[in-house]
Amino acid sequence: KDRYHKSGSWLGAREGWKSARSRHELRWEGRRGFARLACAHGVPIVPVANVGADDTYFIFNDGVATARRLFGLREGAWKNFPVPLFTGLGILPFPAKLTSFIGEPVRPPATGADDAALQRLHAETMARLTAMIAHGEAIHGRTFFERLRRRFF
């Protein structure tokens, strides 16, 4: 089902339950649904990157993959809820500075949304998000400890 906001805009985010091995990586390889929806409705994609979110918890496993291994792939969002093994300060997150960057809108093509057009829109959005994350990491540091050092020392 398409979920289109009544104001004429879309809002979406990728799950953040990836393992520590994949921290600071954008993992949208096969995800083109956002591009397909933007093309279908003629709305732009507004890239938003949140630098520092991967530092709030240390996640030992890929929560989505673990859920699929334990329960299989099922229909319905709640049946595929991630099962992460994580630590912070107990159940509380580690103190981390979160900085959000909002990019310029990525406009979908005016013509039809064939596979090549969807791939280009996906690639352009990924490139912008990756650049925004790199910019944030250049300002604040790439690792949690580097961010702490820059902030306090």
Side-chain angles (χ1 to χ4, degrees):
K1 237 182 189 180
D2 289 355
R3 293 187 179 135
Y4 186 66
H5 192 272
K6 291 178 184 175
S7 70
S9 62
W10 286 95
L11 180 63
R14 171 75 171 108
E15 287 289 339
W17 296 110
K18 58 191 175 198
S19 76
R21 282 180 258 144
S22 302
R23 289 168 52 159
H24 310 289
E25 291 179 16
L26 190 58
R27 295 180 56 194
W28 284 4
E29 298 85 11
R31 299 182 176 274
R32 292 189 183 85
F34 67 94
R36 188 174 298 110
L37 289 171
C39 289
H41 295 280
V43 296
I45 298 166
V46 179
V48 177
N50 190 351
V51 176
D54 286 342
D55 295 328
T56 56
Y57 288 98
F58 185 87
I59 302 173
F60 296 98
N61 65 327
D62 182 325
V64 174
T66 301
R68 287 186 179 154
R69 279 193 297 273
L70 290 173
F71 309 118
L73 185 61
R74 300 180 183 177
E75 290 186 31
W78 290 107
K79 294 179 182 169
N80 291 310
F81 196 77
V83 181
L85 299 172
F86 64 91
T87 187
L89 297 175
I91 61 169
L92 298 175
F94 289 119
K97 182 175 183 175
L98 305 177
T99 305
S100 296
F101 297 91
I102 303 171
E104 292 295 318
V106 181
R107 306 264 177 220
T111 59
D114 61 359
D115 284 341
L118 288 175
Q119 177 61 31
R120 284 190 302 274
L121 185 59
H122 176 271
E124 182 179 351
T125 305
M126 291 278 294
R128 289 195 189 185
L129 284 168
T130 301
M132 291 164 59
I133 292 168
H135 172 72
E137 289 177 343
I139 294 170
H140 299 296
R142 180 157 170 81
T143 68
F144 173 72
F145 295 109
E146 186 178 345
R147 289 185 181 133
L148 276 179
R149 184 183 56 79
R150 286 186 182 188
R151 188 169 181 192
F152 295 111
F153 303 105

